[in-house]
């Protein structure tokens, strides 16, 4: 990100209001927290390691790394925001953990894309309860917009 000169915030932390840290199983672009790792995703890591294991971004696959967690409120206060126009949530099966960690009364989020290849029905129901309208499915993601 630094090499691309992006104008964005980067935080080396995970989001949780119930855990102080999480242990991540390294697996290239599909690394995932042990605490939320589904059996389906664990099998995907094993399968993809065979295919991609020699690529450099798959170095240290299956090792774990401990990451400190922040609450969503702490993260938003750190960057000085209380509203988000667009939130893309793709965390390899931990989507419900993140959604449950958001202090909804403190933040306004207009549009979401959420990876829903795991826990889709639960996510659809949750987002409806939070006042979001389902817009469309795009491959493994669903789009939601806050009802005004």
């Amino acid at each position: 990100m630094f090499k691309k000169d992006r104008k964005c915030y980067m935080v080396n932390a995970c989001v949780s209001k119930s855990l102080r840290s999480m242990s991540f199983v390294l697996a290239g672009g599909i690394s995932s927290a042990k605490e939320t790792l589904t059996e389906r995703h664990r099998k995907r890591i094993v399968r993809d390691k065979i295919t991609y294991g020699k690529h450099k971004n798959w170095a240290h696959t299956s090792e774990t790394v401990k990451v400190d967690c922040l609450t969503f409120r702490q993260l938003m206060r750190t960057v000085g925001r209380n509203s988000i126009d667009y939130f893309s949530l793709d965390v390899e099966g931990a989507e419900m953990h993140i959604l449950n960690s958001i202090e909804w009364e403190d933040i306004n989020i207009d549009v979401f894309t959420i990876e829903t290849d795991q826990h889709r029905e639960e996510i659809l129901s949750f987002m409806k309860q939070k006042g979001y309208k389902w817009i469309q499915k795009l491959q493994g993601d669903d789009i939601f917009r806050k009802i005004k």
Side-chain angles (χ1 to χ4, degrees):
M1 296 299 285
F2 290 120
K3 290 178 184 176
K4 294 195 180 273
D5 192 33
R6 297 287 171 97
K7 306 263 188 279
C8 64
Y9 297 102
M10 294 180 280
V11 179
N12 187 16
C14 51
V15 173
S16 180
K17 69 178 178 183
S18 61
L19 300 170
R20 299 189 118 203
S21 65
M22 296 174 102
S23 297
F24 281 78
V25 178
L26 300 180
I30 61 170
S31 296
S32 186
K34 278 179 136 181
E35 293 81 357
T36 59
L37 186 66
T38 63
E39 183 61 19
R40 178 178 165 199
H41 195 72
R42 187 192 63 73
K43 287 179 180 177
R44 180 182 176 197
I45 290 171
V46 170
R47 187 178 60 245
D48 284 4
K49 181 179 178 182
I50 294 166
T51 305
Y52 305 111
K54 293 184 181 180
H55 291 79
K56 71 177 184 177
N57 68 327
W58 275 72
H60 308 287
T61 296
S62 301
E63 291 179 20
T64 60
V65 62
K66 184 179 172 182
V67 178
D68 291 331
C69 297
L70 298 172
T71 66
F72 197 76
R73 180 181 289 135
Q74 287 172 313
L75 182 61
M76 294 305 292
R77 284 183 180 159
T78 299
V79 298
R81 304 281 178 170
N82 65 356
S83 68
I84 298 172
D85 295 324
Y86 171 68
F87 189 134
S88 174
L89 182 59
D90 180 346
V91 287
E92 307 309 322
E95 287 77 16
M96 282 306 306
H97 183 82
I98 301 297
L99 291 170
N100 281 311
S101 293
I102 294 173
E103 295 88 350
W104 294 91
E105 64 281 358
D106 292 349
I107 189 80
N108 179 47
I109 304 170
D110 190 31
V111 176
F112 274 93
T113 55
I114 303 174
E115 183 181 45
T116 55
D117 64 343
Q118 299 182 64
H119 315 292
R120 184 167 191 258
E121 293 306 315
E122 187 177 1
I123 292 168
L124 291 172
S125 175
F126 182 90
M127 293 304 288
K128 184 177 181 179
Q129 289 173 0
K130 293 298 179 187
Y132 285 81
K133 177 183 177 186
W134 176 85
I135 303 296
Q136 174 176 345
K137 182 162 180 56
L138 298 171
Q139 294 183 337
D141 294 351
D142 281 276
I143 303 170
F144 302 89
R145 179 164 210 145
K146 190 169 190 174
I147 300 169
K148 305 234 177 200

